[in-house]
Amino acid sequence: MAQMIFLTRDKEAFANHCHALGKLILLVTYCVLLQGARPGLVPVLVLPPLAFAIWRRIPVRSYLSQGALFIIIAILMAVAVYEETGDTQAALYEALRFTALVLASLLLLDCTHADDLASALSQLLYPIFRRYSFLAGSIVQLTLSMLPLVMETAQGVREARLARGERMLRHPIRSTSALAASILMTLLDRIEHWADALSARLYDPYARRPWQHFSWRDIVIALIICAMLVALPWTR
Amino acid sequence: MDAALEVQDLSLSIDGKQIYKDISFSLAQGSFTVLCGHNGAGKSQLLRTLKGLAKPSSGRILINGLDVTRKKKSRLSSIGLVFQDADFQIVGESVEKDVAFGPINLGWSEDRVDKAVSRTLAMMGLEDKRRQRPQTLSGGEKRRLAIAGVLAMEPGLIMLDEPFANLDSPSTMSVLKALADLHQAGQSLLVTSHEVDRFLAHTDRVLILEEGRLVYQGPSKDSLDALKKAGVHVPGPAFEELTWLR
């Protein structure tokens, strides 16, 4: 799943060249719009990210196979809403709302590098927090870079234990705690090497990273954001 | 001309355990030196200390005649270290971003960073991979990317910890060719390895470390007996044959 979430596809496409800050604000505005929209409008609001996903030709099969967790969450949400209200349509709309939010977030990551997102965050915070905005950007960048490492380590340790005959279900508590300890120890070792690699290349979390430049494409993004903000009261 | 690196009576102890003791040697500008020794001899720790990632217990480190023992930042910027496992060293999302990581941290201008990235990727034969994710590269390409990342920072000396470990024959040759080209271009290199039969013919000088002590240092051509004595596998009798680049 980490591979899917953090896989940015480099394309000579409009979305890839837009400023990360604009795309981030666009996503937040869309989420606010979708979250507050009345149920009947949800199927309509799902269409833009869906159309964009088709236009970008996202690898559907890999997204579906690796995003099983999100699908399970969507189903659980639908079941919970149905249990509470007894309304099938409302349950379906809630699942659809969640799916659209996940899809929109994945689309942002599909066309935006994690370090561009981090630098966009420092650019946003810079007028208030000055040099601490670079620290905030660095924390986001390091966290996003570390997540695949954590997932990879966890998978490696789990497979190594399974390969040596461990049956998780036989002693679930003991196995889980032992697995967590192994993952933690391996992870600490890898993070130590990673920290060395960062030091070796003079990484300074307070250093100013290059900011992306705004272009005419960002005007289009700004117009879409304005349109969504204007439409906001009518969707409630 | 001052030595690219001079080490005087360098020692390191960690938690009371002596890792290496009284190491002294110097590396000439543009030289290619190999540091040999068994596993646990202290090679990797010595490189980490020289780079500035570990603090020596005693001794001095001089770069171009300047004492930088207490100047960690000077060592970090003027000495490059390529780790044994390239995966630990690669931090960028794409090949070009990884190479640009060090120069950006040095505070270079965007234009200078771009030039450094293009130049080093061309030198390492990775120009056509610049937009690729590092995880999709082969073992040899990853190793060359790790070298490119260090080279882009324009260090006076590049140290490589076991650069041929876990590489197949074509990958070994691609890395070896990159090192031979760097040496030809006048780059000072210090390589740790026990697989000297792959590249000894390209080196100028050999250092042998045994249980934390430097037991031999001399020209590579005269080192065959010392290497055999130290238990390093040297297959052929002719020095010129000790290369995989043919």
Side-chain angles (χ1 to χ4, degrees):
Chain A
M1 187 153 34
Q3 260 188 339
M4 177 187 80
I5 297 172
F6 299 101
L7 180 60
T8 306
R9 288 179 306 148
D10 279 311
K11 281 178 152 191
E12 283 305 316
F14 177 88
N16 288 64
H17 293 292
C18 292
H19 198 287
L21 190 56
K23 288 185 275 187
L24 193 62
I25 296 171
L26 179 67
L27 175 70
V28 172
T29 316
Y30 175 74
C31 291
V32 170
L33 189 75
L34 188 68
Q35 201 55 41
R38 54 181 181 274
L41 270 180
V42 172
V44 180
L45 290 174
V46 168
L47 291 177
L50 198 62
F52 185 57
I54 294 167
W55 183 49
R56 268 189 81 79
R57 294 184 183 172
I58 59 162
V60 180
R61 195 173 294 175
S62 114
Y63 269 50
L64 284 176
S65 64
Q66 293 179 81
L69 179 68
F70 295 123
I71 297 168
I72 292 168
I73 293 173
I75 294 169
L76 287 175
M77 282 177 81
V79 171
V81 172
Y82 181 75
E83 279 294 315
E84 193 186 333
T85 62
D87 185 347
T88 317
Q89 203 176 34
L92 281 176
Y93 284 161
E94 272 320 301
L96 204 56
R97 203 193 297 264
F98 174 75
T99 311
L101 290 179
V102 171
L103 179 63
S105 310
L106 290 179
L107 284 169
L108 173 76
L109 292 166
D110 187 64
C111 62
T112 315
H113 281 288
D115 49 2
D116 287 338
L117 273 178
S119 85
L121 182 72
S122 32
Q123 200 168 357
L124 184 70
L125 299 177
Y126 184 73
I128 308 162
F129 296 104
R130 298 287 158 175
R131 67 191 292 262
Y132 292 102
S133 65
F134 302 130
L135 179 66
S138 299
I139 290 169
V140 171
Q141 186 186 22
L142 289 180
T143 309
L144 289 174
S145 314
M146 263 175 60
L147 283 174
L149 179 81
V150 174
M151 303 291 273
E152 193 187 306
T153 306
Q155 192 180 348
V157 170
R158 199 180 134 263
E159 282 173 0
R161 295 177 73 92
L162 287 177
R164 292 173 69 186
E166 185 178 58
R167 297 284 169 267
M168 293 289 286
L169 294 175
R170 196 174 297 164
H171 304 286
I173 295 171
R174 201 171 66 188
S175 298
T176 308
S177 55
L179 176 69
S182 302
I183 290 171
L184 188 68
M185 294 311 288
T186 313
L187 207 54
L188 284 175
D189 186 46
R190 292 198 70 173
I191 286 173
E192 200 179 329
H193 281 97
W194 206 52
D196 271 354
L198 291 172
S199 298
R201 289 165 82 183
L202 293 164
Y203 184 76
D204 175 7
Y206 286 98
R208 184 182 181 139
R209 313 256 160 253
W211 284 346
Q212 267 187 295
H213 302 295
F214 286 100
S215 69
W216 63 269
R217 296 177 187 88
D218 301 305
I219 298 171
V220 179
I221 298 289
L223 288 173
I224 298 172
I225 293 169
C226 288
M228 283 204 283
L229 289 174
V230 168
L232 198 60
W234 281 282
T235 58
R236 306 273 146 162
Chain B
M1 192 187 280
D2 287 315
L5 176 76
E6 194 177 343
V7 174
Q8 296 174 353
D9 301 320
L10 203 68
S11 301
L12 175 71
S13 305
I14 298 176
D15 298 332
K17 190 188 171 196
Q18 191 80 51
I19 308 297
Y20 55 78
K21 197 169 189 282
D22 298 333
I23 306 283
S24 296
F25 63 88
S26 76
L27 306 180
Q29 300 280 356
S31 62
F32 189 166
T33 307
V34 56
L35 173 63
C36 295
H38 290 298
N39 293 341
K43 305 186 298 284
S44 298
Q45 283 296 348
L46 178 58
L47 295 198
R48 289 185 80 246
T49 313
L50 296 177
K51 171 71 184 167
L53 297 172
K55 197 177 165 191
S57 310
S58 62
R60 295 206 311 157
I61 302 167
L62 293 92
I63 297 172
N64 299 322
L66 294 171
D67 189 345
V68 291
T69 318
R70 302 197 184 283
K71 293 177 183 163
K72 184 183 162 186
K73 203 159 185 181
S74 292
R75 279 186 280 154
L76 284 172
S77 58
S78 50
I79 298 179
L81 172 62
V82 179
F83 289 49
Q84 187 170 346
D85 191 337
D87 281 323
F88 288 137
Q89 182 149 6
I90 296 168
V91 294
E93 282 180 82
S94 66
V95 167
E96 64 180 346
K97 284 195 174 192
D98 186 73
V99 178
F101 183 80
I104 288 172
N105 291 333
L106 285 169
W108 292 359
S109 69
E110 215 170 299
D111 188 44
R112 190 175 170 196
V113 171
D114 285 346
K115 280 182 186 156
V117 170
S118 299
R119 180 175 51 82
T120 44
L121 286 179
M123 282 175 85
M124 291 295 119
L126 293 168
E127 288 156 300
D128 55 331
K129 315 266 180 197
R130 62 186 299 155
R131 292 285 176 89
Q132 253 177 256
R133 281 165 64 84
Q135 290 78 4
T136 62
L137 300 179
S138 69
E141 286 168 341
K142 276 187 188 171
R143 202 62 56 95
R144 279 186 283 141
L145 173 60
I147 298 172
V150 166
L151 191 61
M153 296 170 78
E154 298 177 4
L157 167 71
I158 296 181
M159 306 186 297
L160 299 102
D161 194 3
E162 301 283 356
F164 309 112
N166 304 322
L167 292 187
D168 60 12
S169 176
S171 298
T172 297
M173 284 196 276
S174 75
V175 174
L176 180 53
K177 185 169 182 322
L179 293 184
D181 289 346
L182 282 176
H183 182 218
Q184 285 282 317
Q187 175 71 53
S188 309
L189 297 167
L190 173 61
V191 172
T192 72
S193 181
H194 50 265
E195 297 151 316
V196 292
D197 56 307
R198 300 182 179 198
F199 68 104
L200 194 67
H202 299 279
T203 64
D204 308 310
R205 203 167 168 76
V206 168
L207 308 172
I208 301 175
L209 202 59
E210 256 183 31
E211 292 173 4
R213 288 184 182 269
L214 197 60
V215 294
Y216 175 87
Q217 55 178 315
S220 302
K221 278 187 181 174
D222 306 333
S223 66
L224 297 187
D225 287 340
L227 284 167
K228 282 174 189 164
K229 202 174 155 193
V232 178
H233 177 63
V234 185
F239 173 74
E240 291 74 18
E241 288 174 13
L242 296 174
T243 173
W244 278 23
L245 279 188
R246 285 180 189 281

